[in-house]
C-alpha cells in the first residue's frame, strides 16, 4: 500500500509540533491541515480540536508529530515520539525534516494500544509514502468541478475528499499568530488574516445598506409585480401580446433576475452563488452599456437625426414594396401567372401599402418625441434598448408581416385543399380514425365538384406560390434581423461574466482537476510531488455557468422549418397547430 | 439440422423409411427432396375458358364505344372551337339527350329504386349551379398556359380515362377515370371563346363521361339485345362526327375500332390454344372456403 500524505506548502518551515489533519476514510491517505507548535497542553489541544470540529463538521485528529530541529532543540525527537501515547491513534506519523535537506523523513508507527491488526502489522515495513504538497489557500478556495462521468475512478473521489476537507476547515484557519491563546498554529493564514481594508469597510457598510435597498426594491417590485402580473398581464389579450413583444419578455426576465439577486436568502450552494454573481455582474455591465448609449444618444441631437432618417427609410421600404408588387402584377421573371388572380392579389396588397404609407405620414411628426421617450429605456440597460429596437422594427415592418400572413394562409389553404382533392381525384380519402388513406367510393356530384375545384386550385397554385415565396423571403429578412438583435440580448443576459472573470484572473478558483509535478526524488526518502490545480476550460465555464434563458429551449430544427415553410404554416411568432385533421 | 446433414451421413444411422411429405417429422432426407410421385400431381390448363369468337366481339363493343365517346366529345369541342356549333344549340341538344335518357334509365330501373328522385334533382341542380357559376373562372383559368400544354394535358388525361375505365363494372364510373375525363374537359373547355361555351362543354362532358356509362350499363343488364345496337350507334356517331371535322382522324378511328372489335378477339381466340398453365403442389395455397362469415 502507498500512504499518501497531503502536506500544505506553508507548513514546510513550521516549528516542531503536532500535525493536525484528517485521515480520509476508506482511502490510505491523510490531509495535513496545520501544525500546532510546542509548547502546548494536550488537554487544550483536544478541546480546541473538538471545538473546531463542531464548527467545521470535519473530523479532525492529531495525525502525528512534526519536527524541524533548530539550534538548542536536540532533545525534541524523543519527546515527540512519546506523544503518540497521549493522542491514541491507529497510526502515528513522524515527520522530520533536517535543515539543508529538501525531503522529509517519515516513519509510521502502528500504535499497539488499539487492537492490533495482524495484516497491517505484517506490511508495516513495506509501506511506501508519497508526499503531495498543496497550496492550502488555493485548494481551500477552489471548487473542484465534477469530472466526467466516464471515469469515476478512486482517485477522483479521493481528491474530492481532500478538496472538501480543506474547504470545510475554514474555522481552523481563523487563529493567527497574533491571537492571544494557549495554542500557536501554522497554516496558510497564520501570518495574519488575509483581508483588504476597502473590502472590510465596504462589507461593514454594505450590510445595512443592502438590507435597506433590498427592502425598498423588493417592496416596490412586489407592488409592481402584483399590479402588473396579477391584474394586467392575466387579461388574455395583454398576456398574448406581451409574450410576443421582446421588451415585455425582457422585462419579465429582468424581474426574475431581480428577485433572484435581491432575495434575502443566502446562497447555500456554489452554483447558486455563481448564478447570483453572474446575474449581478451581467446586470451591472448591461446598465453601464445602456448608460453609455444614453449619453451618446442625448448628446448633439442624435435623436432627431435618427428620427429624420427613420421616417424616410420606412417610406423607402414601402416604395420598394410597391414597385415589387407592380413587378409581380406583370409577368415576373417571365412566369405565366393567372392574370385575374394576379391582379386581384396585387391590388389587395397595394391598397394595404397605401394604408401603411398614410399611417407613416400620420406618425412622422411624433416619431422624434416617441424616440426621445423610448430612448430613456436604455437607462435600464442595453438589453432594454435592443429589445425596444427589435419591437420598433417589428412594428415598422408590420405590413410585411401582414403580407406574409395573407400569403401563407392562402398558400396553406391551397396546399391542403390540393392534397385532399388529389386523394379524391384518385378515389381515396383520409381516414381520421385510422390515420391513413382509405379507398372510398364517391358520389357523382362529389366527384364532379371535387375535380372542378381541383382543376381550379391547381391552375391558380403557381400565382399564390409566387406571392407566398416573395413575401416569405421578405419576412425572413426581417426575422433574421430581429434574430440578430435577440442573439445580442441573449448574449448579454446569459453570458457568465463573473465566472469568466474568475477563470481569467483567479484561475485556481474553478478547478477541473489537478496535475502533479515531481519535487524531489532521492533514494531513501519518500517521493515528493507538487499538486497544481488545473483550471476549468473556458468552454466548460460557459457551458456550466450560462444563465438559462428562453433561447436555450429546443426549437424547430432546420428540416422542420423548411417543411413548415413548404406547407405554408406560419413560422414566427405564431405557432401553428401540428395535429393534422382533415 | 438432421435433414440438412446430407444424404450420405444419415442412412447408415437408422433404417430408411419411405419419405413422407410432412414437415413435423425429422426425416433423413435433404430439405429439397421429392420422390417419384411429385410430377404425378401436375395438371395443365385447369381453369382455361374456351371463348367463342362472336361473344368476345360482342364484349369488345364496350371498349369500342368508350373510345368513340371520347371521339364524340372531341368532335363536339372542335365544332365549338371552330364556331360551327353555338353553345345554345349544344345546350338544347344536351337537354334533349338527358331527359329521354333519364326517362329510359328510370323505365329500365324497375321498382327497386336506390335513390329518391329528389336526390337526382338535387344532384342535377348542383351540377348546373356549380358549372354555371364556375364557368367564367374556368374560362380564364388557362389563359396564360400555352395551347400546346393544354392539348398535351388533355390528351394524357383522356388516355388515362380510357386506360383506367372500369370496363367490368362501369356503373358507377370509377373515380380516377371520371376525374381524368373531367380534368381534360375543363382544360379543353377553358380554351373556348365564351363562358357559355364552357358551360355547354362541361354539361356535355358530364353527359358523355358520367351519365352515359350508367345508362349503358343498365341497358346491358335489363335489355341485353339493345347493347350491340347502342354500342354500334355510338361508334357510328363517333366515326361520323370525327369525319365531319377531320376525315383523316375518322379513318384512323374506324381502323382502330375495327382492329379493336374484330382483330383483337380473333387474336385472343387463336392464342387461347397455345395457353399452357401448369398447376401442382408447388402452387401457393388457395383459400377456397367462404370467409364472409368471419369478416362480417
Amino acid at each position: 500500500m502507498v500512504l499518501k500524505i497531503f502536506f500544505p506548502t506553508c507548513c514546510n518551515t513550521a516549528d516542531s509540533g503536532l500535525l493536525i489533519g484528517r485521515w480520509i476514510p476508506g482511502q490510505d491517505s491523510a490531509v495535513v491541515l496545520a501544525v500546532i507548535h510546542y509548547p502546548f497542553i494536550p488537554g487544550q489541544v483536544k478541546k480546541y480540536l473538538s471545538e473546531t470540529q463542531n464548527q467545521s463538521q470535519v473530523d479532525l485528529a492529531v495525525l502525528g508529530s512534526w519536527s524541524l530541529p533548530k539550534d538548542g532543540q536536540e532533545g525534541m525527537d524523543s519527546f515527540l515520539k512519546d506523544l503518540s501515547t497521549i493522542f491514541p491513534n491507529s497510526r502515528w506519523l513522524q515527520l522530520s525534516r533536517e535543515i539543508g535537506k529538501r525531503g522529509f523523513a517519515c516513519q509510521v508507527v502502528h500504535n499497539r494500544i488499539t487492537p492490533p491488526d495482524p495484516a497491517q502489522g505484517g506490511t508495516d515495513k513495506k509501506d511506501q509514502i508519497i508526499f503531495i504538497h498543496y497550496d492550502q489557500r488555493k485548494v481551500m478556495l477552489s471548487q473542484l468541478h465534477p469530472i466526467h462521468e466516464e471515469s469515476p475512478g478512486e482517485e477522483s473521489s479521493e481528491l474530492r475528499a481532500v478538496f472538501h476537507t480543506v474547504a470545510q476547515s475554514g474555522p481552523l484557519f481563523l487563529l493567527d499568530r497574533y491571537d492571544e491563546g494557549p495554542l500557536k498554529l501554522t497554516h496558510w493564514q497564520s501570518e495574519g488574516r488575509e483581508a483588504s481594508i476597502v473590502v472590510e469597510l465596504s462589507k461593514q457598510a454594505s450590510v445595512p445598506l443592502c438590507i435597506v435597498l433590498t427592502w425598498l426594491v423588493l417592496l416596490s417590485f412586489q407592488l409592481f409585480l402584483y399590479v402588473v402580473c396579477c391584474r394586467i398581464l392575466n387579461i388574455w389579450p395583454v398576456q398574448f401580446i406581451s409574450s410576443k413583444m421582446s421588451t415585455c419578455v425582457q422585462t419579465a426576465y429582468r424581474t426574475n433576475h431581480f428577485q433572484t439577486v435581491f432575495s434575502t436568502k443566502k446562497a447555500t450552494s456554489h452554483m447558486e452563488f455563481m448564478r447570483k454573481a453572474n446575474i449581478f455582474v451581467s446586470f451591472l455591465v448591461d446598465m453601464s452599456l445602456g448608460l453609455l448609449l444614453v449619453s451618446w444618444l442625448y448628446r448633439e441631437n442624435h435623436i432627431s437625426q435618427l428620427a429624420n432618417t427613420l421616417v424616410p427609410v420606412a417610406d423607402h421600404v414601402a416604395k420598394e414594396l410597391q414597385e415589387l408588387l407592380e413587378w409581380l402584377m406583370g409577368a415576373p421573371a417571365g412566369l405565366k401567372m393567372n392574370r385575374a388572380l394576379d391582379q386581384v392579389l396585387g391590388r389587395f396588397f397595394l391598397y394595404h401599402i397605401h394604408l401603411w404609407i398614410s399611417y407613416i405620414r400620420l406618425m412622422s411628426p411624433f416619431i422624434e418625441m416617441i424616440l426621445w421617450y423610448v430612448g430613456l429605456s436604455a437607462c435600464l440597460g442595453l438589453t432594454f434598448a435592443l429589445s425596444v429596437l427589435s419591437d420598433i422594427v417589428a412594428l415598422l415592418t408590420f405590413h410585411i408581416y401582414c403580407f406574409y400572413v395573407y400569403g401563407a394562409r392562402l398558400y396553406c389553404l391551397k396546399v391542403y385543399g390540393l392534397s385532399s382533392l388529389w386523394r379524391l381525384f384518385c378515389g381515396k380519402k383520409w381516414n381520421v380514425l385510422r390515420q391513413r388513406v382509405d379507398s372510398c367510393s364517391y358520389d357523382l356530384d362529389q366527384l364532379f365538384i371535387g375535380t372542378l375545384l381541383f382543376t381550379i386550385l391547381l391552375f391558380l397554385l403557381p400565382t399564390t406560390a409566387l406571392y407566398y415565396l416573395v413575401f416569405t423571403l421578405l419576412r425572413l429578412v426581417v426575422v433574421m434581423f430581429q434574430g440578430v438583435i435577440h442573439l445580442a440580448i441573449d448574449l448579454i443576459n446569459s453570458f457568465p461574466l463573473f465566472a469568466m472573470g474568475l477563470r481569467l484572473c483567479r484561475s485556481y478558483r474553478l478547478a477541473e482537476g489537478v496535475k502533479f509535478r515531481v519535487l524531489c526524488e532521492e533514494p531513501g526518502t519518500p517521493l515528493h510531488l507538487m499538486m497544481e490545480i488545473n483550471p476549468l476550460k473556458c468552454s466548460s465555464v460557459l457551458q456550466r455557468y450560462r444563465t438559462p434563458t428562453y433561447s436555450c429551449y429546443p426549437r424547430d430544427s432546420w428540416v422542420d422549418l423548411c417543411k413548415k415553410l413548404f406547407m405554408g404554416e406560419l413560422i414566427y411568432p405564431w405557432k401553428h397547430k401540428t395535429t393534422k385533421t382533415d | 439440422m438432421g435433414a440438412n446433414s446430407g444424404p450420405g451421413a444419415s442412412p447408415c444411422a437408422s433404417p430408411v423409411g419411405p419419405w413422407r411429405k410432412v414437415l413435423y417429422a425429422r426425416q433423413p432426407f435433404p430439405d429439397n427432396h421429392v420422390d417419384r410421385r411429385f410430377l404425378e400431381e401436375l395438371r395443365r390448363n385447369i381453369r382455361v375458358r374456351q371463348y367463342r369468337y362472336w361473344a368476345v366481339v360482342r364484349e369488345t363493343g364496350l371498349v369500342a364505344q368508350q373510345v368513340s365517346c371520347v371521339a364524340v366529345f372531341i368532335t363536339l369541342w372542335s365544332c365549338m372551337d371552330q364556331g360551327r356549333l353555338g353553345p345554345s344549340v349544344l345546350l338544347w341538344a344536351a337537354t334533349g339527350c338527358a331527359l329521354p335518357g333519364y326517362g329510359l334509365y328510370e323505365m329500365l330501373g324497375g321498382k327497386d329504386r336506390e335513390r329518391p328522385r329528389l336526390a337526382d334533382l338535387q344532384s342535377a341542380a348542383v351540377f348546373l349551379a356549380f358549372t354555371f357559376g364556375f364557368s367564367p373562372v374556368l374560362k380564364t383559368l388557362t389563359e396564360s398556359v400555352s395551347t400546346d400544354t393544354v392539348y398535351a394535358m388533355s390528351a394524357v388525361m383522356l388516355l388515362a380515362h380510357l386506360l383506367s375505365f372500369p370496363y367490368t363494372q362501369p356503373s358507377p364510373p370509377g373515380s380516377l377515370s371520371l376525374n381524368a375525363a373531367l380534368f381534360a374537359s375543363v382544360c379543353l373547355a377553358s380554351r373556348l371563346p365564351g363562358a357559355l361555351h364552357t358551360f355547354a362543354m362541361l354539361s356535355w362532358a358530364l353527359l358523355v363521361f358520367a351519365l352515359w356509362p350508367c345508362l349503358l350499363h343498365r341497358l346491358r343488364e335489363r335489355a341485353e339485345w339493345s347493347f350491340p345496337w347502342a354500342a354500334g350507334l355510338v361508334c357510328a356517331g363517333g366515326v361520323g362526327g370525327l369525319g365531319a371535322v377531320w376525315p383523316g382522324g375518322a379513318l384512323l378511328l374506324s381502323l382502330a375500332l375495327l382492329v379493336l372489335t374484330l382483330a383483337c378477339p380473333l387474336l385472343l381466340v387463336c392464342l387461347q390454344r397455345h395457353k399452357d398453365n401448369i398447376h401442382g403442389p408447388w402452387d401457393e395455397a388457395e383459400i377456397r372456403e367462404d370467409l364472409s362469415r368471419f369478416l362480417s
Side-chain angles (χ1 to χ4, degrees), chain A residues 214 218 257-267 272 276:
Chain A
T214 308
L218 272 187
H257 277 178
F258 253 81
Q259 278 177 330
T260 313
V261 171
F262 285 97
S263 71
T264 42
K265 268 179 264 167
K266 193 171 183 295
E272 205 176 322
K276 275 191 176 186

Side-chain angles (χ1 to χ4, degrees), chain A residues 336-338 424-425 445 449 451, chain B residues 123 126 131 141 144 175 179:
Chain A
K336 289 165 182 164
M337 315 244 283
N338 190 287
L424 177 135
F425 197 88
D445 40 359
I449 292 167
T451 309
Chain B
S123 288
V126 166
T131 320
L141 202 59
S144 56
S175 295
N179 283 327

Side-chain angles (χ1 to χ4, degrees), chain B residues 10-253:
Chain B
S10 41
C12 46
S14 64
V16 182
W19 178 77
R20 288 186 302 151
K21 203 173 100 176
V22 288
L23 281 176
Y24 51 82
R26 181 162 289 188
Q27 299 181 68
F29 296 99
D31 276 358
N32 54 358
H33 178 85
V34 285
D35 66 356
R36 204 170 287 166
R37 287 168 296 166
F38 181 63
L39 282 182
E40 284 172 10
E41 292 176 45
L42 173 71
R43 280 173 298 159
R44 292 163 180 273
N45 293 343
I46 49 172
R47 255 167 269 156
V48 169
R49 289 170 60 183
Q50 286 303 320
Y51 295 116
R52 281 177 298 121
Y53 179 67
W54 288 109
V56 180
V57 168
R58 197 182 150 91
E59 291 299 315
T60 51
L62 188 61
V63 184
Q65 70 83 30
Q66 201 58 37
V67 175
S68 307
C69 274
V70 174
V72 165
F73 183 75
I74 291 172
T75 308
L76 286 176
W77 174 77
S78 72
C79 278
M80 205 127 82
D81 197 32
Q82 292 164 5
R84 287 198 213 171
L85 279 174
S88 51
V89 178
L90 267 184
L91 279 176
W92 282 118
T95 321
C97 290
L99 287 180
Y102 183 67
L104 193 62
Y105 185 81
E106 286 297 300
M107 212 167 71
L108 289 173
K111 297 277 166 57
D112 48 336
R113 288 187 54 82
E114 295 154 19
R115 279 160 64 92
R117 274 208 181 78
L118 196 63
D120 288 341
L121 196 66
Q122 199 181 348
S123 288
V126 166
F127 288 142
L128 291 178
F130 265 82
T131 320
F132 193 74
F134 274 124
S135 50
V137 177
L138 293 174
K139 211 213 134 274
T140 59
L141 202 59
T142 59
E143 234 174 22
S144 56
V145 183
S146 88
T147 312
D148 290 341
T149 315
V150 171
Y151 287 169
M153 254 189 316
S154 317
V156 168
M157 282 296 169
L158 285 175
L159 206 63
H161 163 72
L162 283 181
L163 289 180
S164 66
F165 190 80
Y167 291 104
T168 49
Q169 179 56 261
S171 174
S175 295
L176 184 59
S177 66
L178 180 62
N179 283 327
L182 284 177
F183 189 89
S185 47
V186 168
C187 284
L188 286 178
S190 66
R191 288 281 122 177
L192 291 176
L196 199 62
H197 293 73
T198 311
F199 176 57
M201 206 62 237
L202 282 180
S203 318
W204 266 99
L206 198 66
L207 276 187
V208 171
F209 294 121
L211 300 180
W212 168 245
C214 296
L215 178 61
L216 194 69
H217 184 67
R218 185 152 282 187
L219 271 180
R220 209 171 145 202
E221 268 184 346
R222 300 295 160 99
E224 199 153 351
W225 58 268
S226 62
F227 173 70
W229 295 104
L233 201 67
V234 173
C235 288
V239 172
L242 205 58
V245 184
W246 180 32
L251 196 65
L252 275 178
L253 178 68

Side-chain angles (χ1 to χ4, degrees), chain A residues 91-105:
Chain A
R91 277 189 282 187
W92 184 258
L93 300 171
Q94 278 187 345
L95 305 190
S96 59
R97 187 177 181 193
E98 288 173 34
I99 298 290
K101 272 196 175 180
R102 287 186 71 192
F104 312 156

Side-chain angles (χ1 to χ4, degrees), chain A residues 546-558:
Chain A
R546 204 168 172 279
T547 320
T549 53
Y550 44 89
S551 74
C552 295
Y553 304 132
R555 271 179 294 183
D556 291 341
S557 65
W558 288 102

